[in-house]
Amino acid sequence: SLPAEIPAAFVLAQHIDGNFQETLVKALKRNNDFRCEIAVEDSKLENGKISIAPVGGEVSFTEAGKIKLTGRDWQGLYSPSIDQTIKNVASCFGENTGAIIFSGMGNDGAISARIMAEQGGTIWCQSAVSCIVSSQPDSVRDTGCVSFNGGPRELAHQFIHHLSAKLSVAQL
């Protein structure tokens, strides 16, 4: 439900076995018009592109939008760590960030949601009724940092509206 020419870059942290990351790339490409790739050293965040956090180790970002492989394992129980990804994105880009937590198990993302919100970022979650498993977005909602909840299509429409409003303000 998002246009390929959207003026936003995406970082996807999906708990997945490393052997299935290429399958994830193919599935994402099949279901939208975005460019999609597993993040590698010095690849660039770009509008209309999904950069998938690699299972093998933590990524960080430069202010110029380049991805850096830190050489460190992901912190926490899950790989890649949603908490660490959100924290690293927020640390670099502050108020120009946002996170959407989709259906999943556990509480990965709940710690970093507060960090992103404190830095002016936006936190949204998939609604419990539209999730297959809602414990992950529920745990993020419990932080009090979530400003919008909805199904995937509602989240997409809200995102377009949110970007339009931000771009209009920036042009003033």
Short mmCIF file of all heavy atoms in Angstrom, two decimals, residues 55-108:
data_model
loop_
_atom_site.label_atom_id
_atom_site.label_comp_id
_atom_site.label_asym_id
_atom_site.label_seq_id
_atom_site.Cartn_x
_atom_site.Cartn_y
_atom_site.Cartn_z
N VAL A 55 21.44 -11.09 9.79
CA VAL A 55 21.39 -11.94 10.97
C VAL A 55 22.76 -12.01 11.63
O VAL A 55 22.88 -12.04 12.85
CB VAL A 55 20.89 -13.36 10.59
CG1 VAL A 55 21.04 -14.32 11.75
CG2 VAL A 55 19.45 -13.30 10.12
N GLY A 56 23.83 -11.98 10.84
CA GLY A 56 25.18 -12.25 11.32
C GLY A 56 25.80 -11.24 12.26
O GLY A 56 26.78 -11.56 12.92
N GLY A 57 25.30 -10.02 12.34
CA GLY A 57 25.91 -9.05 13.23
C GLY A 57 25.25 -7.69 13.16
O GLY A 57 24.55 -7.37 12.21
N GLU A 58 25.52 -6.91 14.18
CA GLU A 58 24.90 -5.60 14.36
C GLU A 58 25.29 -4.62 13.26
O GLU A 58 26.42 -4.64 12.77
CB GLU A 58 25.35 -5.04 15.71
CG GLU A 58 24.77 -3.70 16.06
CD GLU A 58 25.35 -3.13 17.34
OE1 GLU A 58 25.98 -3.86 18.11
OE2 GLU A 58 25.13 -1.92 17.56
N VAL A 59 24.34 -3.75 12.91
CA VAL A 59 24.60 -2.65 11.98
C VAL A 59 24.42 -1.33 12.70
O VAL A 59 23.62 -1.21 13.63
CB VAL A 59 23.68 -2.70 10.73
CG1 VAL A 59 23.97 -3.90 9.87
CG2 VAL A 59 22.22 -2.66 11.10
N SER A 60 25.19 -0.35 12.25
CA SER A 60 25.01 1.02 12.70
C SER A 60 24.94 1.88 11.45
O SER A 60 25.02 1.37 10.33
CB SER A 60 26.15 1.45 13.63
OG SER A 60 27.38 1.47 12.94
N PHE A 61 24.81 3.19 11.65
CA PHE A 61 24.57 4.08 10.52
C PHE A 61 25.40 5.35 10.66
O PHE A 61 25.69 5.79 11.76
CB PHE A 61 23.08 4.45 10.46
CG PHE A 61 22.19 3.24 10.49
CD1 PHE A 61 21.74 2.72 11.70
CD2 PHE A 61 21.86 2.57 9.33
CE1 PHE A 61 20.96 1.58 11.74
CE2 PHE A 61 21.09 1.43 9.36
CZ PHE A 61 20.63 0.92 10.57
N THR A 62 25.78 5.92 9.53
CA THR A 62 26.46 7.21 9.55
C THR A 62 25.43 8.30 9.27
O THR A 62 24.35 8.02 8.71
CB THR A 62 27.57 7.30 8.48
OG1 THR A 62 26.96 7.32 7.18
CG2 THR A 62 28.55 6.12 8.60
N GLU A 63 25.75 9.53 9.59
CA GLU A 63 24.83 10.64 9.32
C GLU A 63 24.56 10.81 7.83
O GLU A 63 23.53 11.35 7.44
CB GLU A 63 25.37 11.94 9.92
CG GLU A 63 25.28 11.95 11.43
CD GLU A 63 25.77 13.25 12.04
OE1 GLU A 63 25.84 14.27 11.32
OE2 GLU A 63 26.08 13.24 13.24
N ALA A 64 25.48 10.33 7.00
CA ALA A 64 25.29 10.40 5.55
C ALA A 64 24.41 9.26 5.04
O ALA A 64 24.17 9.15 3.84
CB ALA A 64 26.65 10.35 4.85
N GLY A 65 23.92 8.40 5.95
CA GLY A 65 23.01 7.34 5.56
C GLY A 65 23.69 6.06 5.09
O GLY A 65 23.05 5.22 4.46
N LYS A 66 24.96 5.89 5.43
CA LYS A 66 25.64 4.65 5.08
C LYS A 66 25.49 3.65 6.22
O LYS A 66 25.48 4.01 7.39
CB LYS A 66 27.11 4.89 4.78
CG LYS A 66 27.31 5.58 3.44
CD LYS A 66 28.72 5.43 2.98
CE LYS A 66 28.82 5.96 1.55
NZ LYS A 66 30.11 5.71 0.99
N ILE A 67 25.43 2.39 5.84
CA ILE A 67 25.32 1.30 6.81
C ILE A 67 26.73 0.81 7.13
O ILE A 67 27.56 0.65 6.24
CB ILE A 67 24.46 0.15 6.23
CG1 ILE A 67 23.02 0.66 6.04
CG2 ILE A 67 24.52 -1.08 7.13
CD1 ILE A 67 22.12 -0.27 5.30
N LYS A 68 26.96 0.62 8.41
CA LYS A 68 28.25 0.10 8.88
C LYS A 68 28.02 -1.21 9.61
O LYS A 68 27.12 -1.31 10.44
CB LYS A 68 28.92 1.10 9.83
CG LYS A 68 29.33 2.38 9.17
CD LYS A 68 30.40 2.09 8.16
CE LYS A 68 30.95 3.30 7.47
NZ LYS A 68 31.84 2.94 6.38
N LEU A 69 28.81 -2.21 9.28
CA LEU A 69 28.80 -3.47 10.02
C LEU A 69 29.74 -3.28 11.20
O LEU A 69 30.92 -2.96 11.02
CB LEU A 69 29.26 -4.62 9.13
CG LEU A 69 28.46 -4.82 7.84
CD1 LEU A 69 29.02 -6.01 7.06
CD2 LEU A 69 26.99 -5.03 8.13
N THR A 70 29.23 -3.44 12.42
CA THR A 70 30.02 -3.14 13.61
C THR A 70 31.02 -4.24 13.96
O THR A 70 31.94 -3.99 14.72
CB THR A 70 29.11 -2.91 14.83
OG1 THR A 70 28.47 -4.15 15.16
CG2 THR A 70 28.08 -1.82 14.56
N GLY A 71 30.80 -5.44 13.47
CA GLY A 71 31.65 -6.56 13.84
C GLY A 71 31.24 -7.18 15.18
O GLY A 71 31.86 -8.13 15.63
N ARG A 72 30.18 -6.65 15.79
CA ARG A 72 29.68 -7.18 17.06
C ARG A 72 28.44 -8.04 16.81
O ARG A 72 27.67 -7.77 15.89
CB ARG A 72 29.30 -6.04 18.01
CG ARG A 72 30.47 -5.17 18.44
CD ARG A 72 30.04 -4.14 19.46
NE ARG A 72 29.03 -3.23 18.97
CZ ARG A 72 29.27 -2.00 18.49
NH1 ARG A 72 30.51 -1.55 18.40
NH2 ARG A 72 28.28 -1.23 18.09
N ASP A 73 28.26 -9.03 17.65
CA ASP A 73 27.03 -9.81 17.61
C ASP A 73 25.88 -8.94 18.07
O ASP A 73 26.08 -7.96 18.81
CB ASP A 73 27.13 -11.04 18.53
CG ASP A 73 28.09 -12.09 18.01
OD1 ASP A 73 28.35 -12.12 16.78
OD2 ASP A 73 28.57 -12.89 18.83
N TRP A 74 24.67 -9.29 17.65
CA TRP A 74 23.48 -8.60 18.12
C TRP A 74 23.34 -8.81 19.63
O TRP A 74 23.60 -9.90 20.13
CB TRP A 74 22.23 -9.13 17.41
CG TRP A 74 22.15 -8.74 15.98
CD1 TRP A 74 22.39 -9.54 14.90
CD2 TRP A 74 21.80 -7.46 15.45
NE1 TRP A 74 22.22 -8.84 13.73
CE2 TRP A 74 21.85 -7.56 14.04
CE3 TRP A 74 21.45 -6.24 16.03
CZ2 TRP A 74 21.56 -6.48 13.21
CZ3 TRP A 74 21.16 -5.17 15.19
CH2 TRP A 74 21.22 -5.30 13.80
N GLN A 75 22.89 -7.78 20.33
CA GLN A 75 22.61 -7.90 21.76
C GLN A 75 21.25 -8.54 21.94
O GLN A 75 20.36 -8.38 21.11
CB GLN A 75 22.61 -6.52 22.42
CG GLN A 75 23.94 -5.82 22.36
CD GLN A 75 23.85 -4.40 22.93
OE1 GLN A 75 22.92 -4.04 23.61
NE2 GLN A 75 24.86 -3.61 22.63
N GLY A 76 21.05 -9.24 23.02
CA GLY A 76 19.74 -9.80 23.33
C GLY A 76 19.56 -11.21 22.81
O GLY A 76 20.48 -11.84 22.30
N LEU A 77 18.31 -11.67 22.92
CA LEU A 77 17.97 -13.05 22.58
C LEU A 77 17.78 -13.29 21.09
O LEU A 77 17.84 -14.42 20.63
CB LEU A 77 16.68 -13.45 23.30
CG LEU A 77 16.71 -13.39 24.83
CD1 LEU A 77 15.31 -13.65 25.39
CD2 LEU A 77 17.70 -14.40 25.37
N TYR A 78 17.49 -12.23 20.34
CA TYR A 78 17.06 -12.40 18.95
C TYR A 78 18.08 -11.82 17.99
O TYR A 78 18.78 -10.87 18.29
CB TYR A 78 15.70 -11.73 18.74
CG TYR A 78 14.68 -12.13 19.76
CD1 TYR A 78 14.32 -11.26 20.78
CD2 TYR A 78 14.08 -13.38 19.71
CE1 TYR A 78 13.37 -11.63 21.72
CE2 TYR A 78 13.13 -13.76 20.65
CZ TYR A 78 12.79 -12.88 21.65
OH TYR A 78 11.86 -13.24 22.59
N SER A 79 18.08 -12.39 16.79
CA SER A 79 19.00 -11.93 15.77
C SER A 79 18.27 -11.81 14.43
O SER A 79 17.70 -12.79 13.97
CB SER A 79 20.16 -12.94 15.66
OG SER A 79 21.11 -12.50 14.76
N PRO A 80 18.27 -10.64 13.83
CA PRO A 80 18.80 -9.39 14.36
C PRO A 80 17.93 -8.85 15.49
O PRO A 80 16.75 -9.16 15.58
CB PRO A 80 18.80 -8.45 13.16
CG PRO A 80 17.77 -8.98 12.25
CD PRO A 80 17.72 -10.47 12.48
N SER A 81 18.52 -8.01 16.32
CA SER A 81 17.81 -7.41 17.44
C SER A 81 17.05 -6.18 16.98
O SER A 81 17.64 -5.23 16.46
CB SER A 81 18.81 -7.02 18.53
OG SER A 81 18.21 -6.16 19.47
N ILE A 82 15.75 -6.20 17.17
CA ILE A 82 14.93 -5.04 16.83
C ILE A 82 15.28 -3.89 17.76
O ILE A 82 15.41 -2.74 17.33
CB ILE A 82 13.43 -5.41 16.88
CG1 ILE A 82 13.12 -6.42 15.77
CG2 ILE A 82 12.55 -4.16 16.76
CD1 ILE A 82 11.75 -7.07 15.86
N ASP A 83 15.46 -4.20 19.05
CA ASP A 83 15.86 -3.14 20.00
C ASP A 83 17.14 -2.45 19.55
O ASP A 83 17.21 -1.22 19.52
CB ASP A 83 16.05 -3.72 21.41
CG ASP A 83 14.81 -3.62 22.26
OD1 ASP A 83 14.11 -2.59 22.19
OD2 ASP A 83 14.53 -4.56 23.01
N GLN A 84 18.16 -3.22 19.23
CA GLN A 84 19.44 -2.62 18.86
C GLN A 84 19.32 -1.85 17.55
O GLN A 84 19.91 -0.78 17.40
CB GLN A 84 20.52 -3.69 18.75
CG GLN A 84 21.92 -3.12 18.71
CD GLN A 84 22.29 -2.38 19.98
OE1 GLN A 84 21.99 -2.84 21.08
NE2 GLN A 84 22.91 -1.23 19.84
N THR A 85 18.55 -2.38 16.60
CA THR A 85 18.38 -1.67 15.33
C THR A 85 17.68 -0.33 15.55
O THR A 85 18.14 0.71 15.05
CB THR A 85 17.57 -2.53 14.34
OG1 THR A 85 18.25 -3.78 14.14
CG2 THR A 85 17.40 -1.84 13.00
N ILE A 86 16.59 -0.33 16.31
CA ILE A 86 15.87 0.92 16.57
C ILE A 86 16.77 1.90 17.32
O ILE A 86 16.82 3.09 16.99
CB ILE A 86 14.57 0.65 17.36
CG1 ILE A 86 13.57 -0.09 16.47
CG2 ILE A 86 13.96 1.95 17.88
CD1 ILE A 86 12.32 -0.57 17.21
N LYS A 87 17.49 1.42 18.32
CA LYS A 87 18.39 2.28 19.09
C LYS A 87 19.44 2.90 18.17
O LYS A 87 19.71 4.11 18.25
CB LYS A 87 19.08 1.48 20.20
CG LYS A 87 20.03 2.29 21.03
CD LYS A 87 20.71 1.44 22.07
CE LYS A 87 21.80 2.23 22.76
NZ LYS A 87 22.76 1.38 23.43
N ASN A 88 20.04 2.12 17.29
CA ASN A 88 21.08 2.63 16.40
C ASN A 88 20.53 3.63 15.38
O ASN A 88 21.18 4.63 15.08
CB ASN A 88 21.81 1.48 15.71
CG ASN A 88 22.66 0.67 16.67
OD1 ASN A 88 22.81 1.02 17.85
ND2 ASN A 88 23.19 -0.44 16.20
N VAL A 89 19.34 3.37 14.86
CA VAL A 89 18.71 4.30 13.94
C VAL A 89 18.40 5.62 14.66
O VAL A 89 18.73 6.71 14.18
CB VAL A 89 17.42 3.70 13.32
CG1 VAL A 89 16.60 4.76 12.62
CG2 VAL A 89 17.76 2.57 12.35
N ALA A 90 17.79 5.53 15.85
CA ALA A 90 17.43 6.73 16.61
C ALA A 90 18.65 7.52 17.02
O ALA A 90 18.64 8.76 16.99
CB ALA A 90 16.61 6.34 17.84
N SER A 91 19.71 6.84 17.41
CA SER A 91 20.94 7.52 17.83
C SER A 91 21.54 8.34 16.70
O SER A 91 22.11 9.40 16.94
CB SER A 91 21.97 6.51 18.32
OG SER A 91 21.52 5.88 19.48
N CYS A 92 21.39 7.87 15.50
CA CYS A 92 21.97 8.56 14.35
C CYS A 92 21.04 9.64 13.77
O CYS A 92 21.49 10.72 13.43
CB CYS A 92 22.33 7.55 13.27
SG CYS A 92 23.28 8.29 11.92
N PHE A 93 19.75 9.33 13.68
CA PHE A 93 18.85 10.21 12.93
C PHE A 93 17.79 10.93 13.77
O PHE A 93 17.01 11.71 13.24
CB PHE A 93 18.17 9.41 11.81
CG PHE A 93 19.15 8.79 10.86
CD1 PHE A 93 19.34 7.42 10.83
CD2 PHE A 93 19.91 9.57 10.00
CE1 PHE A 93 20.24 6.83 9.96
CE2 PHE A 93 20.82 9.00 9.12
CZ PHE A 93 20.99 7.63 9.11
N GLY A 94 17.73 10.65 15.08
CA GLY A 94 16.87 11.39 16.01
C GLY A 94 15.43 11.53 15.59
O GLY A 94 14.75 10.54 15.32
N GLU A 95 14.98 12.77 15.51
CA GLU A 95 13.57 13.05 15.24
C GLU A 95 13.13 12.69 13.82
O GLU A 95 11.94 12.69 13.51
CB GLU A 95 13.25 14.52 15.53
CG GLU A 95 13.93 15.48 14.61
CD GLU A 95 13.68 16.93 14.98
OE1 GLU A 95 13.32 17.22 16.12
OE2 GLU A 95 13.86 17.79 14.09
N ASN A 96 14.07 12.38 12.96
CA ASN A 96 13.73 12.00 11.59
C ASN A 96 13.54 10.49 11.45
O ASN A 96 13.71 9.95 10.37
CB ASN A 96 14.83 12.46 10.63
CG ASN A 96 14.90 13.97 10.56
OD1 ASN A 96 13.87 14.63 10.49
ND2 ASN A 96 16.09 14.51 10.65
N THR A 97 13.19 9.83 12.55
CA THR A 97 13.03 8.38 12.54
C THR A 97 11.64 7.97 12.99
O THR A 97 10.89 8.74 13.57
CB THR A 97 14.04 7.70 13.48
OG1 THR A 97 13.79 8.12 14.81
CG2 THR A 97 15.45 8.01 13.08
N GLY A 98 11.36 6.73 12.74
CA GLY A 98 10.14 6.11 13.22
C GLY A 98 10.31 4.61 13.19
O GLY A 98 11.20 4.08 12.51
N ALA A 99 9.49 3.94 13.96
CA ALA A 99 9.51 2.48 13.98
C ALA A 99 8.08 1.99 13.95
O ALA A 99 7.19 2.57 14.58
CB ALA A 99 10.22 1.96 15.23
N ILE A 100 7.86 0.93 13.21
CA ILE A 100 6.57 0.25 13.19
C ILE A 100 6.83 -1.18 13.63
O ILE A 100 7.63 -1.88 13.01
CB ILE A 100 5.91 0.28 11.80
CG1 ILE A 100 5.72 1.73 11.33
CG2 ILE A 100 4.57 -0.46 11.85
CD1 ILE A 100 5.20 1.85 9.91
N ILE A 101 6.17 -1.58 14.69
CA ILE A 101 6.34 -2.94 15.22
C ILE A 101 5.15 -3.77 14.73
O ILE A 101 4.00 -3.45 15.03
CB ILE A 101 6.39 -2.93 16.77
CG1 ILE A 101 7.45 -1.95 17.27
CG2 ILE A 101 6.61 -4.34 17.29
CD1 ILE A 101 8.87 -2.25 16.84
N PHE A 102 5.48 -4.83 14.01
CA PHE A 102 4.46 -5.71 13.46
C PHE A 102 4.31 -6.97 14.30
O PHE A 102 5.07 -7.20 15.24
CB PHE A 102 4.80 -6.08 12.02
CG PHE A 102 4.63 -4.94 11.05
CD1 PHE A 102 5.72 -4.18 10.65
CD2 PHE A 102 3.37 -4.61 10.55
CE1 PHE A 102 5.57 -3.12 9.76
CE2 PHE A 102 3.21 -3.55 9.66
CZ PHE A 102 4.32 -2.81 9.27
N SER A 103 3.37 -7.78 13.94
CA SER A 103 3.06 -9.04 14.60
C SER A 103 4.32 -9.83 14.95
O SER A 103 5.24 -9.93 14.15
CB SER A 103 2.18 -9.88 13.64
OG SER A 103 1.86 -11.11 14.20
N GLY A 104 4.36 -10.36 16.17
CA GLY A 104 5.49 -11.16 16.58
C GLY A 104 5.41 -11.54 18.04
O GLY A 104 4.60 -11.02 18.79
N MET A 105 6.29 -12.46 18.42
CA MET A 105 6.34 -12.93 19.80
C MET A 105 7.46 -12.20 20.55
O MET A 105 8.41 -11.74 19.95
CB MET A 105 6.60 -14.43 19.85
CG MET A 105 5.47 -15.25 19.26
SD MET A 105 5.72 -17.01 19.46
CE MET A 105 7.00 -17.32 18.29
N GLY A 106 7.30 -12.16 21.86
CA GLY A 106 8.34 -11.58 22.70
C GLY A 106 8.15 -10.09 22.91
O GLY A 106 7.09 -9.53 22.64
N ASN A 107 9.22 -9.44 23.37
CA ASN A 107 9.14 -8.01 23.67
C ASN A 107 10.25 -7.21 23.01
O ASN A 107 10.54 -6.10 23.42
CB ASN A 107 9.17 -7.80 25.19
CG ASN A 107 10.46 -8.26 25.82
OD1 ASN A 107 11.31 -8.86 25.16
ND2 ASN A 107 10.62 -7.99 27.10
N ASP A 108 10.90 -7.78 22.00
CA ASP A 108 11.98 -7.07 21.31
C ASP A 108 11.41 -5.79 20.69
O ASP A 108 10.44 -5.82 19.95
CB ASP A 108 12.59 -7.97 20.24
CG ASP A 108 13.94 -7.48 19.75
OD1 ASP A 108 14.53 -6.60 20.40
OD2 ASP A 108 14.41 -8.00 18.71
#
